[in-house]
Amino acid sequence: MKEKLECILNDGKAKISSALTIAALQDVKAFLLGKQGAITEVLKEIPKLDVSVRAEIGRAANDLKNTFTDLINTRRDEIALKASEISPDFDLTVPGIKPNGGTLHPITQMCYDLNDTFLSMGFEVFEESDITSELYAFDNLNFPPDHPARESMDTYWIAGSNESKSRLCLRPHLTGASVRYMQTNKPPFRFVYPGRAYRNEATDAKHERAFFQYEALIVDREFTFSAGKVMIKSILSKVFGCDVPVRMRVGFFPFVEPGFEIDMGCLVCGGSGCSVCKQVGWIEIMPGGTPHPNVLRAAGLDPDEYTGFYVNIGLDRLVMMRYGIDDIRLLRSADLRFLNQFK
């Protein structure tokens, strides 16, 4: 039996030293110390030995077991250390290769900048699903039943939804979110709601079927139009880092009364005229006005008690102004030559 233990010792040492990976070392450990291992088999045979040698063989087997345990642990540390070593062929003086890094899309960055600006002015940021209903997209916003915006030529209606006020669509604008917010919160309100809108229309340099809007609404017992214009100029100056010319023209929208078209001086051409501003030096960036009494009623507010100011910022067009982009379609082209400019 002593000769057998000596043979197991020599064989075990050789296997342990030749193991090159942790997995291989685990196999060696199982071969030597496992339930069916060589040492276990020796211990099973001890009761069959003569009584005079049982104690001696038992001690020798346990000593061998401890020896293998120490050798295996030492070899495990050696393998782990070797795995972490730097290859001798690796030259630390050679400059590394900078990995490609991502960055925020310019629309996302503009949205974050506007969020920061409005949050600093005491506004809350509100968001909702891209899918809305006819009730919130049109009925609550004072759109008449025969308004052309309800037609499939303008709005993407979702197949399978019924023909009642619960008919679903991809939101054609964000304005319906204002009513949803006011129905679930208490006045006064100062909030913004960024998001994507969808229109079934032809695309060109200034129009897309899916585009980003950024709406802001203030509702209080008293709020003047002059304060609204100052707010618009303050926002644009903050975003562009300079004073931006702004003008307000009379416009009609079902959800505001009175309503205005709000333009800013074209920053692509500096007001001299280009394809983006159709050679007029101004570009429409948002409608605005006072929430229509019917909209306030839909939100559960008394229009004789509350008034406010609303703007819907064309986020894509602000990005075009910031970076001098002359075609809105580039923003969704996924062309890395274009997007890499914003790193």
Side-chain angles (χ1 to χ4, degrees), residues 255-304:
F255 41 86
V256 288
E257 179 61 41
F260 288 87
E261 295 276 10
I262 302 170
D263 304 331
M264 64 174 285
C266 181
L267 300 183
V268 175
C269 63
S272 61
C274 64
S275 60
V276 174
C277 63
K278 295 184 177 179
Q279 311 301 325
V280 299
W282 295 89
I283 184 166
E284 175 192 335
I285 56 169
M286 62 184 89
T290 299
H292 194 283
N294 289 342
V295 175
L296 294 175
R297 291 189 186 97
L301 299 177
D302 184 353
D304 294 328

Side-chain angles (χ1 to χ4, degrees), residues 106-300:
I107 293 177
T108 303
Q109 184 62 62
M110 177 66 79
C111 184
Y112 287 172
D113 291 345
L114 285 172
N115 284 348
D116 291 342
T117 300
F118 277 104
L119 286 170
S120 70
M121 299 168 65
F123 283 71
E124 180 183 348
V125 178
F126 171 70
E127 294 185 22
E128 67 164 10
S129 170
D130 286 14
I131 297 176
T132 189
S133 66
E134 186 169 14
L135 175 64
Y136 282 95
F138 298 108
D139 296 314
N140 285 341
L141 300 182
N142 197 45
F143 281 79
D146 58 350
H147 195 282
R150 295 179 186 257
E151 301 297 326
S152 59
M153 66 182 66
D154 289 317
T155 299
Y156 289 108
W157 295 101
I158 295 178
S161 57
N162 58 41
E163 296 298 318
S164 69
K165 290 183 179 181
S166 62
R167 186 165 56 147
L168 301 179
C169 62
L170 293 177
R171 59 186 179 196
H173 45 236
L174 301 185
T175 316
S178 63
V179 175
R180 197 187 304 274
Y181 179 93
M182 290 188 287
Q183 288 175 338
T184 54
N185 292 272
K186 294 182 179 181
F189 305 117
R190 295 172 71 90
F191 63 99
V192 295
Y193 35 110
R196 197 192 309 263
Y198 306 85
R199 302 267 177 85
N200 187 10
E201 61 182 28
T203 61
D204 56 31
K206 293 202 302 179
H207 298 87
E208 268 280 18
R209 291 187 177 92
F211 51 92
F212 281 89
Q213 292 183 336
Y214 193 102
E215 296 203 0
L217 178 63
I218 297 174
V219 173
D220 210 331
R221 286 181 169 84
E222 292 185 6
F223 193 85
T224 64
F225 246 92
S226 59
K229 185 173 183 180
V230 170
M231 181 186 74
I232 293 169
K233 285 186 65 67
S234 299
I235 293 167
L236 295 178
S237 297
K238 182 77 171 179
V239 169
F240 293 105
C242 62
D243 184 57
V244 178
V246 173
R247 72 178 185 183
M248 301 174 71
R249 298 176 287 111
V250 175
F252 172 77
F253 306 96
F255 41 86
V256 288
E257 179 61 41
F260 288 87
E261 295 276 10
I262 302 170
D263 304 331
M264 64 174 285
C266 181
L267 300 183
V268 175
C269 63
S272 61
C274 64
S275 60
V276 174
C277 63
K278 295 184 177 179
Q279 311 301 325
V280 299
W282 295 89
I283 184 166
E284 175 192 335
I285 56 169
M286 62 184 89
T290 299
H292 194 283
N294 289 342
V295 175
L296 294 175
R297 291 189 186 97

Side-chain angles (χ1 to χ4, degrees), residues 34-49:
K35 291 182 178 181
Q36 304 298 325
I39 299 299
T40 304
E41 293 299 323
V42 170
L43 294 174
K44 289 178 180 179
E45 293 181 13
I46 290 178
K48 302 176 184 179
L49 300 177

